[in-house]
Amino acid sequence: ASAIRTVPFYRARTRPGATFFEVPTCAREDLQPRPWDFVPDDRSLDDLLVYPTSGTTGPRLDVYSHPVAASAYLPFLEVALARVGASLEGGPDRVSIASVHHQLGTYTYPSLMSWLSGAAFVKVNLHPSSWRDPSDRAAFLDECAPEVYTGDPWAFARLAELPLATRPRALVSSATALLPGLRRTLEAHFEAPVIDFYSLTEARLLGASFGAGHEVLAPDVYLEVLEPGADRPVGPRAPG
């Protein structure tokens, strides 16, 4: 009822008093030209976050977000890690998370995480062109000795080629599909569990797979699988 009353996109498409299941779905094609139509009229803009996507999987998109959505990642990560018997100690004297990528060009940076008591986060590009000497990659990551690596399957496959002396407590994959064979290879090589996250820039982290299908982690999100091109839910185990 609040969304129909205060959000321009839903107000224009939904009759007053409609039930939740009568609210139409939306797609990136709805978000891309008018993202402001999804901002509630009564929401303060003082803490508005704007996340520009690169457009690598379609037209570039500005996602309007909220600090709660951005800050929810670390608590959800800790919930997922606990499921495989791992945890983040944090603290100001360590690198807790290293996000690894293998791209021709991408932003790289360090930051500090107040949630983990000042522990460091680093985003690293493993592509050889980003290093004066590609052999420095392993030395740098071993010096960081992160508690957890995050990245995508392609980056993890490249990470496994480096002569690392250190081992993480877990690897967290996202962005693209993680196939079972690569999961087994990574777990054997790093001697650590691999968690596959399902998340979207537009809707944040939703679920995780610990080896046998994805489970919902976000308690405040309703998930349903729809028929292609229709707003009708499919049956159990049916693709959509």
Side-chain angles (χ1 to χ4, degrees), residues 15-240:
R15 66 172 180 82
T19 68
F20 175 80
F21 294 99
E22 293 178 283
V23 177
T25 58
C26 61
R28 287 177 67 96
E29 291 74 20
D30 299 307
L31 285 166
Q32 195 270 338
R34 299 177 60 87
W36 48 85
D37 277 352
F38 292 84
V39 179
D41 297 331
D42 57 358
R43 173 70 64 184
S44 170
L45 302 183
D46 293 342
D47 53 4
L48 174 70
L49 300 178
V50 180
Y51 183 86
T53 67
S54 62
T56 54
T57 58
R60 68 174 304 277
L61 175 69
D62 287 338
V63 174
Y64 291 6
S65 189
H66 187 276
V68 169
S71 61
Y73 181 88
L74 282 174
F76 283 142
L77 175 60
E78 291 192 313
V79 169
L81 290 173
R83 289 287 305 276
V84 296
S87 63
L88 292 170
E89 293 183 11
D93 298 323
R94 72 162 69 239
V95 175
S96 277
I97 302 173
S99 177
V100 293
H101 303 260
H102 192 279
Q103 300 172 334
L104 290 176
T106 186
Y107 292 113
T108 57
Y109 61 90
S111 67
L112 300 179
M113 298 175 288
S114 58
W115 177 267
L116 294 175
S117 303
F121 166 95
V122 293
K123 182 181 177 185
V124 179
N125 188 11
L126 299 179
H127 197 281
S129 64
S130 293
W131 299 79
R132 284 193 292 266
D133 186 341
S135 65
D136 290 339
R137 296 173 294 178
F140 177 80
L141 291 173
D142 276 337
E143 186 172 345
C144 289
E147 297 183 273
V148 170
Y149 280 108
T150 66
D152 59 70
W154 171 251
F156 282 154
R158 304 286 74 78
L159 181 69
E161 296 173 350
L162 300 182
L164 295 174
T166 56
R167 289 293 183 263
R169 299 177 183 179
L171 288 83
V172 178
S173 180
S174 63
T176 58
L178 175 65
L179 299 180
L182 179 57
R183 176 197 287 271
R184 291 191 295 268
T185 297
L186 293 173
E187 288 183 332
H189 178 81
F190 289 100
E191 301 175 335
V194 176
I195 303 171
D196 185 25
F197 271 178
Y198 179 68
S199 60
L200 301 90
T201 300
E202 305 91 327
R204 68 173 166 80
L205 174 63
L206 300 177
S209 170
F210 304 95
H214 285 78
E215 305 174 23
V216 178
L217 289 186
D220 58 343
V221 175
Y222 180 82
L223 287 179
E224 59 183 356
V225 180
L226 304 176
E227 292 183 13
D231 280 358
R232 295 184 299 273
V234 300
R237 299 188 178 278

